[in-house]
């Protein structure tokens, strides 16, 4: 994945006339409290309604066991969303956090139950490490609940500095990740 899918794909900013690259981004969404599927659907709809974001693909819904969570945490529903965007990484992060907040996300215990989680996994080939954001997501290459749905919609997917999703998934335990044929996110 590159900073711009092709170096010639640009979008004109109608306010300034400037040109900005269109980047492909991967977001992982998950919920293990309340109306889990409704929250995933809401997150996808909110992303679709975001200016300068175009939905490219949404994976199937997967039910997964919590990773590193407190005992007796409910299982998650997870999906991966592939988008094209001209937003900066920090603007995209702000949007992801706003979507979480809109669905009642309360920050607390690490890996604790949550109404909605919207994580930036990769944004082009951008590498970032500041107080607000680390890209690519530092644990995505270890998480079957990210890799399995991502592989489904992007067989050529790659985590910069870690490798191709198709290769990385062979290094993780996928036994707790089940594709839910009976559940669907609508576009």
């Amino acid at each position: 994945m590159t900073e711009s899918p092709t170096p010639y794909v640009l979008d004109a900013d109608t306010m300034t006339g400037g040109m900005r690259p269109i980047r492909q981004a991967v977001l992982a969404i998950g919920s293990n409290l309340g109306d889990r599927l409704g929250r995933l659907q809401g997150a996808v709809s909110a992303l679709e309604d975001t200016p300068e974001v175009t939905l490219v693909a949404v994976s199937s819904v997967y039910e997964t066991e919590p990773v590193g969570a407190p005992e007796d945490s409910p299982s998650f529903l997870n999906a991966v969303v592939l988008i094209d965007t001209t937003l900066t990484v920090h603007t995209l992060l702000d949007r992801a956090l706003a979507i979480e907040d809109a669905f009642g996300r309360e920050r607390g215990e690490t890996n604790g139950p949550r109404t909605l989680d919207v994580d930036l996994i990769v944004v082009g080939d951008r590498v970032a490490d500041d107080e607000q954001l680390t890209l690519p997501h530092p644990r995505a290459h270890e998480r079957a609940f990210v890799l399995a749905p991502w592989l489904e919609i992007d067989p050529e997917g790659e985590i910069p500095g870690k490798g191709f999703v198709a290769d990385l998934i062979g290094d993780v335990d996928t036994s707790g990740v089940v594709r839910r044929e009976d559940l669907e996110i609508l576009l």
Side-chain angles (χ1 to χ4, degrees), residues 98-172:
I99 293 169
E100 289 179 347
D101 290 346
F103 286 91
R105 170 74 187 264
E106 293 181 15
R107 308 231 178 266
E109 184 176 6
T110 301
N111 296 327
R114 60 201 69 164
T115 56
L116 184 64
D117 197 20
V118 180
D119 287 335
L120 298 183
I121 305 302
V122 297
V123 179
D125 60 2
R126 178 73 190 268
V127 175
D129 190 7
D130 60 42
E131 57 278 348
Q132 295 176 320
L133 178 65
T134 302
L135 280 176
H137 189 287
R139 291 172 304 285
H141 67 285
E142 303 169 342
R143 302 283 168 90
F145 62 84
V146 172
L147 298 174
W150 186 359
L151 182 61
E152 175 193 328
I153 59 173
D154 185 13
E156 302 298 317
E158 182 179 3
I159 300 176
K162 299 295 181 185
F164 289 99
V165 173
D167 296 331
L168 295 169
I169 199 162
D171 296 333
V172 298

